[in-house]
Amino acid sequence: METPPWRERVRAEEELLEQLRLQTSQAAKRRAAALLDGVADLGSVYAVAKELGRSHTAIDKAIKKHRPPAGTDRPTTTE
């Protein structure tokens, strides 16, 4: 089996990278929604951070960076 030409390999890898970027972005939004649910459940970002063993700044930044716009439904998982 011959190796495809380099242009085809580059094109295929670029497509894969784009798919991975999209999946990463979607996962970050779902994670932010889950963190917001944790804040609602535990009462504060600090409590969520303590529960997860992370800094409160890391949790706060993740929520702020990937929070869905106000007035829209937050992404949820069906599992």
Side-chain angles (χ1 to χ4, degrees):
M1 182 177 201
E2 279 190 42
T3 303
W6 68 269
R7 285 180 180 91
E8 288 179 28
R9 295 192 329 256
V10 168
R11 195 171 9 258
E13 294 305 325
E14 287 175 346
E15 288 175 14
L16 178 59
L17 285 169
E18 183 57 35
Q19 291 171 7
L20 292 171
R21 274 191 287 274
L22 179 60
Q23 289 178 8
T24 299
S25 175
Q26 292 170 342
K29 289 175 185 176
R30 289 190 305 270
R31 178 175 178 254
L35 290 169
L36 284 170
D37 288 345
V39 171
D41 184 44
L42 299 178
S44 71
V45 169
Y46 296 98
V48 172
K50 184 176 179 182
E51 177 81 18
L52 297 175
R54 306 270 170 90
S55 73
H56 73 278
T57 7
I59 301 301
D60 193 50
K61 283 181 182 180
I63 291 171
K64 286 180 180 176
K65 185 174 182 180
H66 301 288
R67 170 181 275 165
T72 63
D73 290 334
R74 292 196 332 236
T76 58
T77 58
T78 56
E79 295 178 26

